[in-house]
Amino acid sequence: MMLASAVRNLSRRSFSTSKAVSAQQLTVRDALNAALDEEMERDEKVFLLGEEVAQYDGAYKVSRGLWKKYGDKRVIDTPITEMGFAGIAVGAAMAGLRPVCEFMTFNFSMQAIDQVINSAAKTFYMSAGTVNVPIVFRGPNGAAAGVAAQHSQCFGAWYAHCPGLKVVSPYDSEDAKGLLKAAIRDPDPVVVLENEMLYGVGYPVSDQVLDKNFVLPIGKAKIMRPGKHITIVAHSKSVETALQAANELAGKGIEAEVINLRSLRPLDSETIFKSVQKTHHLVTVEQGWPQSGIGSEICARIMEHETFYHLDAPIWRVTGVDVPMPYAKTLEAAALPQVPDVVTAVNKVLGVK
């Protein structure tokens, strides 16, 4: 009896047409799926290939329904050979198609890094601008849960290091849809670093985001929360950590401005500069390793810019620990930035005890 009542209540909620409950909540998975579907419908040159993307609907169900809708020629299951199918995708892009190449995890992109860097990223330059390579490399990046060192690293700094690539790192559903659509339409190679832990998370979205013409510009950050005391810059899942820390800090009277980078290459330095010139303090947050990371690059850019003279305290980086990811659950948590780490960093930068 209780079960039947619960089902009836869920049914009523599912079909509610009120603004609060109508289709304004979108998971990151569904946002990516919608972006792929809309772009494949818009341009017949767009196709998807990768391991289990077709008949299985994708390892993370991001490509759910696309094989049934578009067929074998546009949603292609590949053998387990990243170097092979990435090479096929790059060649198809050189020939004028627009492939979306899915890596089951970006850790596996190391098998194909010669194709990503030497074949995709460098060809436009080496052909004196005569050969475009309009390809998207996408898939989950960074730490998941309980998958240890070989499946948990962040490739943001790796790929952002390379000229010829654009690199985006979406956080929420708005980011995921708008940035993937922009990546597919871009004339050059774009790396889309998603996060497995965010796929099933629902975020509120506006009608504008649900529109088929919604696209976000690559290279533009977003201020997620305005503040006046300190700037916190993050990307991907670390934006969530930064926002949670900002909420905790607000309870102590510290208003943190949280910037979601969205794009790692090109990096939106101007938005960071303007924020730091206002707050005079900066903390960066990322799940990647500390050496030569995204936070390191931000520190260098500020030091080389007049914004350096607006700082009232040194910049503080909050990063993943400088070790391969442990398998043990407690050690895994200790190896990743947590909310208390960000709060502690902010207190140290502001001189709060």
Side-chain angles (χ1 to χ4, degrees):
M1 194 72 182
M2 287 177 66
L3 179 61
S5 176
V7 168
R8 278 197 301 273
N9 287 334
L10 281 170
S11 299
R12 279 199 295 271
R13 285 172 59 192
S14 300
F15 293 102
S16 168
T17 54
S18 69
K19 283 190 176 180
V21 191
S22 64
Q24 300 298 309
Q25 197 81 1
L26 188 68
T27 65
V28 171
R29 176 184 291 108
D30 289 341
L32 293 165
N33 181 267
L36 288 167
D37 187 16
E38 289 168 12
E39 293 306 301
M40 291 179 76
E41 192 175 76
R42 176 179 174 270
D43 185 350
E44 63 181 14
K45 292 180 180 178
V46 178
F47 72 98
L48 174 67
L49 79 166
E51 295 154 357
E52 300 181 352
V53 299
Q55 295 186 44
Y56 188 65
D57 277 343
Y60 304 98
K61 306 306 174 192
V62 169
S63 55
R64 184 177 54 230
L66 298 181
W67 175 65
K68 288 181 180 175
K69 183 173 181 179
Y70 297 103
D72 289 320
K73 289 189 176 179
R74 296 188 65 195
V75 185
I76 303 167
D77 278 331
T78 65
I80 303 173
T81 167
E82 281 75 17
M83 175 63 92
F85 69 73
I88 290 170
V90 173
M94 289 178 178
L97 298 178
R98 289 185 171 270
V100 178
C101 177
E102 177 180 310
F103 295 121
M104 195 178 289
T105 155
F106 259 93
N107 297 272
F108 302 156
S109 75
M110 293 174 74
Q111 301 288 334
I113 203 162
D114 181 56
Q115 299 290 2
V116 177
I117 306 302
N118 283 328
S119 299
K122 297 178 182 176
T123 293
F124 184 71
Y125 175 83
M126 294 180 73
S127 67
T130 60
V131 180
N132 284 95
V133 188
I135 186 171
V136 174
F137 299 103
R138 56 154 293 271
N141 169 69
V147 289
Q150 293 178 341
H151 296 77
S152 299
Q153 67 205 61
C154 176
F155 285 85
W158 291 57
Y159 288 116
H161 183 64
C162 303
L165 290 179
K166 292 170 184 165
V167 183
V168 297
S169 182
Y171 160 56
D172 58 16
S173 303
E174 178 180 320
D175 292 359
K177 187 179 182 192
L179 291 173
L180 181 54
K181 285 170 72 74
I184 293 170
R185 296 184 189 189
D186 201 273
D188 299 305
V190 184
V191 172
V192 181
L193 301 171
E194 300 156 11
N195 188 285
E196 179 186 338
M197 303 303 289
L198 296 175
Y199 281 150
V201 181
Y203 294 93
V205 293
S206 64
D207 290 335
Q208 182 187 6
V209 174
L210 297 174
D211 190 273
K212 288 188 177 184
N213 296 313
F214 177 74
V215 179
L216 287 173
I218 294 174
K220 186 65 181 166
K222 179 184 180 183
I223 296 175
M224 304 293 289
R225 177 191 178 114
K228 59 184 179 182
H229 297 125
I230 191 165
T231 301
I232 305 176
V233 179
H235 70 94
S236 190
K237 196 170 189 303
S238 292
V239 176
E240 176 184 282
T241 309
L243 288 169
Q244 290 171 351
N247 284 336
E248 188 173 322
L249 290 161
K252 302 171 184 175
I254 298 170
E255 291 299 328
E257 182 149 292
V258 177
I259 296 177
N260 169 12
L261 286 175
R262 283 183 166 172
S263 176
L264 305 182
R265 184 182 183 105
L267 189 67
D268 186 3
S269 300
E270 272 309 307
T271 295
I272 300 170
F273 292 159
K274 286 178 183 176
S275 178
V276 173
Q277 287 170 19
K278 177 179 71 173
T279 67
H280 309 292
H281 302 89
L282 175 62
V283 166
T284 67
V285 189
E286 63 190 305
Q287 289 195 340
W289 293 315
Q291 182 162 323
S292 308
I294 301 300
S296 304
E297 177 65 21
I298 292 169
C299 290
R301 292 198 187 191
I302 285 190
M303 190 189 73
E304 294 162 356
H305 189 264
E306 65 168 323
T307 303
F308 176 75
Y309 299 103
H310 291 262
L311 287 171
D312 288 343
I315 302 169
W316 197 286
R317 292 178 300 151
V318 179
T319 71
V321 176
D322 198 19
V323 296
M325 180 62 72
Y327 175 69
K329 190 173 183 178
T330 50
L331 293 179
E332 181 184 70
L336 292 168
Q338 306 295 336
V339 172
D341 301 322
V342 180
V343 171
T344 298
V346 168
N347 288 337
K348 285 185 177 179
V349 170
L350 292 176
V352 177
K353 293 182 179 178

